[in-house]
Amino acid sequence: MVQTRNLTDPVVRSFVEAVNTHNREAFADVLAPNATMADDGTERDLEEWTDREIFTTRGHIDVVEESDEGRAFVADYRNDTWGSMRTSWRFTVEGNKISRFETGQA
């Protein structure tokens, strides 16, 4: 397990911290204005998906291992809807903001 404070990429670290503390403002601050995302290869509405999968269901990311200089990781993700599952996450970071992230079952 990788402690959140030890994640390599500071922007990705801020993303994980915002998710784990359920801080919508910090989450929005780390995203680029027109950020996009996909879940299991399907494009999703970012605001609707994060509300449903993270904020109203107490989502939490425990990073197991990171790669790609900290812009990708495998994690145990849990929320009140789905319980716990192994997931993969990949981030595109531009100008200290996340412009895209992709997640799915690992």
Side-chain angles (χ1 to χ4, degrees), residues 6-54:
N6 294 332
L7 292 173
T8 303
D9 188 282
V11 178
V12 173
R13 183 172 52 244
S14 293
F15 177 96
V16 173
E17 289 170 346
V19 169
N20 288 351
T21 60
H22 310 113
N23 185 331
R24 288 179 189 258
E25 185 176 327
F27 185 83
D29 285 346
V30 77
L31 297 177
N34 296 312
T36 61
M37 62 90 51
D39 181 11
D40 283 327
T42 301
E43 293 298 312
R44 304 289 184 185
D45 177 278
L46 186 133
E47 187 174 329
E48 186 273 329
W49 186 90
T50 56
D51 186 59
R52 182 185 71 242
E53 299 292 337
I54 296 173

